Amino acid sequence: MLKREQINAYAGLGSNLGDSRLQLQSAILSLSRLPDTLLVRQSSFYRSSPFQADGPDYLNAVVHLQTRLNACDLLRAFQDIENLAGRERPYFNAPRTLDIDLLLYGDGIIQSPWLQVPHPRLRERAFVLLPLHEIAPQWVAEAELLKLQDQVICKLE
């Protein structure tokens, strides 16, 4: 059986309930342990105000993965990690212990009822674009960052 080629994938992580730093650290460790997947790089953590949502401030990060998993299997793995972190979905954009979004999957475009890649709101959110720009500046134009400069976000040490 032939192995699938490795795909560069980028995932956005966020948390605003519980110990958000620990949630993100645990999630990144879990992502690094996925089968046929290598954690290439992770961004710094960023604190941001909720965007089109409510609740406490979020901690966010972006990771670069190389994977042989197809996009559907990768999404399922993300959801399993979220569920283990106690993720609940009582309503759209509810505060969360952990959220993992598939932002980019190679240069592919996926349109299905349950998965859209590139992520449909990727270019609207400073909490995604700034950490993505940190680890993969080729995916983010400076003009895109300028458009979002009114969104409150700060890089953590």
Side-chain angles (χ1 to χ4, degrees):
M1 180 165 92
L2 292 175
K3 280 260 196 189
R4 290 178 49 90
E5 70 176 87
Q6 283 197 327
I7 300 289
N8 287 303
Y10 294 86
L13 295 86
S15 172
N16 75 333
L17 292 178
D19 186 338
S20 294
R21 182 177 292 274
L22 182 60
Q23 293 287 7
L24 294 186
Q25 290 169 335
S26 295
I28 291 167
L29 181 60
S30 294
L31 291 170
S32 75
R33 293 178 174 166
L34 289 176
D36 295 320
T37 301
L38 173 68
L39 175 66
V40 176
R41 192 159 182 215
Q42 73 180 60
S43 74
S44 302
F45 289 169
Y46 290 77
R47 180 175 305 282
S48 64
S49 300
F51 180 71
Q52 300 176 337
D54 56 3
D57 284 355
Y58 278 84
L59 281 189
N60 298 98
V62 169
V63 297
H64 173 194
L65 305 169
Q66 286 183 339
T67 188
R68 286 192 168 89
L69 298 176
N70 65 47
C72 297
D73 289 340
L74 193 57
L75 177 64
R76 275 189 219 99
F78 291 176
Q79 291 170 342
D80 288 344
I81 294 167
E82 290 175 341
N83 291 337
L84 286 171
R87 169 75 188 264
E88 295 180 0
R89 293 171 170 79
Y91 56 90
F92 186 70
N93 281 345
R96 57 208 66 180
T97 54
L98 182 63
D99 184 36
I100 307 174
D101 290 329
L102 182 56
L103 304 173
L104 300 164
Y105 185 79
D107 56 6
I109 297 174
I110 302 169
Q111 296 292 326
S112 76
W114 42 272
L115 178 59
Q116 293 182 334
V117 175
H119 190 283
R121 291 171 301 284
L122 167 71
R123 308 274 174 212
E124 301 168 9
R125 299 171 167 181
F127 66 83
V128 174
L129 284 187
L130 278 173
L132 179 60
H133 183 263
E134 178 187 331
I135 64 171
Q138 71 274 17
W139 287 104
V140 183
E142 292 294 331
E144 291 177 304
L145 295 174
L146 288 174
K147 286 186 210 173
L148 303 178
Q149 64 186 351
D150 60 328
Q151 294 179 27
V152 178
I153 181 170
C154 68
K155 185 176 178 178
L156 302 179
E157 297 300 318

